[in-house]
Amino acid sequence: AGGGMGGRSGRGGQRRGMGFDTETMARPQRLEVNATVGLEEAFAGTTRVLQMEDGTRLQVNIPRGVTTGSKVRMKGAGKDPASQADIVLNIEVEPNSRYTRDGDNLRVHVPVELYTALLGGEVQVPALDKTVALTIPAGTKNGKTIRLRGLGMPHLKNPDGRGDLLAEIDVQLPANLSAEEKALFEKLRALRAG
């Protein structure tokens, strides 16, 4: 990705009469470039290499915690000091198939067997950097959200701090019940009705 690096009027600081085009010389042109990153890259931080028109290759560091709309600035890039431009990367974070982002919080659907939701138990929940065990209380309802503190995205201005992971419980009904299982559910229904 590259862009024009000359002055805005095309003169690029050439002489105008006896003086210089001071507006172009005093204020380098700003070059805006769009950059798309994945959620994992936004979590860990990443780099992008830009190829400039003057042949310069620039590596731009994208910090942890960026979100769509974040701007990453790099001052005075280019070989020729007279034509150096400030580069601004406009960040877009791609949607992720597993996580939904809400600010620095992440939301994830966690499948839980009916028996575990009814009786309680433990399930594994994937965070971006590790998997954690989550205790499911007995009688947990479908759609309940359990907050796992500090397992979300890094804060852009304070990458040591993190948002939360919101685990939304998705109770899974058993499929392909055996005759014995159906009989047990019938018995349970009769007990509940009795």
Side-chain angles (χ1 to χ4, degrees):
M5 298 292 291
R8 323 179 171 170
S9 62
R11 289 185 293 275
Q14 294 176 356
R15 292 185 179 274
R16 183 195 292 166
M18 293 298 290
F20 287 96
D21 182 349
T22 54
E23 179 184 340
T24 303
M25 292 294 286
R27 231 180 319 166
Q29 182 182 8
R30 184 168 112 159
L31 176 65
E32 295 209 15
V33 179
N34 295 328
T36 302
V37 298
L39 186 66
E40 291 83 358
E41 291 178 305
F43 174 81
T46 189
T47 60
R48 287 294 183 267
V49 176
L50 305 178
Q51 177 77 44
M52 310 309 291
E53 283 187 353
D54 64 3
T56 306
R57 289 173 61 85
L58 299 171
Q59 180 171 299
V60 181
N61 293 320
I62 298 174
R64 299 178 70 212
V66 292
T67 188
T68 295
S70 293
K71 294 185 181 298
V72 177
R73 290 178 172 81
M74 185 173 185
K75 294 251 181 214
K79 284 182 179 175
D80 179 5
S83 65
Q84 283 185 343
D86 290 346
I87 296 176
V88 177
L89 260 62
N90 297 313
I91 303 296
E92 179 182 349
V93 179
E94 295 174 324
N96 186 277
S97 61
R98 177 176 277 180
Y99 302 97
T100 303
R101 188 169 180 180
D102 180 12
D104 289 333
N105 294 331
L106 292 174
R107 183 173 294 276
V108 63
H109 286 274
V110 179
V112 175
E113 289 185 350
L114 175 64
Y115 316 108
T116 304
L118 286 172
L119 304 173
E122 193 174 271
V123 295
Q124 299 298 306
V125 178
L128 274 171
D129 56 342
K130 60 183 169 183
T131 299
V132 296
L134 173 63
T135 299
I136 304 294
T140 296
K141 294 180 179 176
N142 186 51
K144 177 178 175 63
T145 298
I146 300 174
R147 183 179 297 268
L148 301 170
R149 298 201 179 276
L151 292 177
M153 294 295 288
H155 301 308
L156 180 58
K157 297 193 179 192
N158 175 22
D160 291 332
R162 287 173 62 176
D164 301 330
L165 182 63
L166 307 173
E168 188 171 319
I169 303 305
D170 185 6
V171 176
Q172 307 289 298
L173 297 178
N176 305 318
L177 293 175
S178 69
E180 185 180 0
E181 287 173 319
K182 284 181 183 175
L184 288 171
F185 273 112
E186 289 289 349
K187 186 174 181 181
L188 179 61
R189 180 165 64 179
L191 285 172
R192 298 283 295 175

